[in-house]
Amino acid sequence: YFVLCSGSDLIAVIDPQTYLVMQYIPVGISESIIEAPHYITLSPDKQFLYVTLIGGSAVEKYRTDNYQKVGRVSIARDPAHIEIRQ
């Protein structure tokens, strides 16, 4: 499972069998402000996750196999929900 920790700029990766946090994925680019991850969705092939940052006016893209950031796009203020269409 992926759980957003908005006040900490983290995504917690939780093992669905044990419910233990296995890893934290840091999000955002600024250490001086909280960019506040707000919404997360997976790509249809489950290879990427996308997270909106309402405090950072951006959407970031991460791999689901190693949790590395592969992209970021700045958009309008306060992006809330996103939808991926095929």
Side-chain angles (χ1 to χ4, degrees):
Y1 303 116
F2 297 108
V3 177
L4 299 173
C5 306
S6 294
S8 303
D9 279 355
L10 297 170
I11 299 171
V13 181
I14 298 177
D15 182 308
Q17 304 297 330
T18 63
Y19 302 111
L20 296 174
V21 175
M22 304 304 290
Q23 185 169 346
Y24 288 104
I25 305 167
V27 300
I29 57 171
S30 176
E31 298 208 8
S32 63
I33 63 165
I34 299 294
E35 293 184 71
H38 180 74
Y39 187 79
I40 192 168
T41 192
L42 293 175
S43 62
D45 61 8
K46 309 285 192 260
Q47 292 184 12
F48 300 99
L49 65 87
Y50 299 86
V51 60
T52 61
L53 303 173
I54 58 174
S57 300
V59 174
E60 291 184 339
K61 179 181 180 180
Y62 294 83
R63 295 177 55 96
T64 56
D65 60 350
N66 62 12
Y67 310 121
Q68 295 298 306
K69 185 189 308 183
V70 294
R72 177 185 172 99
V73 62
S74 294
I75 55 176
R77 287 186 37 198
D78 305 327
H81 297 103
I82 55 175
E83 180 179 334
I84 297 174
R85 296 185 181 207
Q86 291 183 316

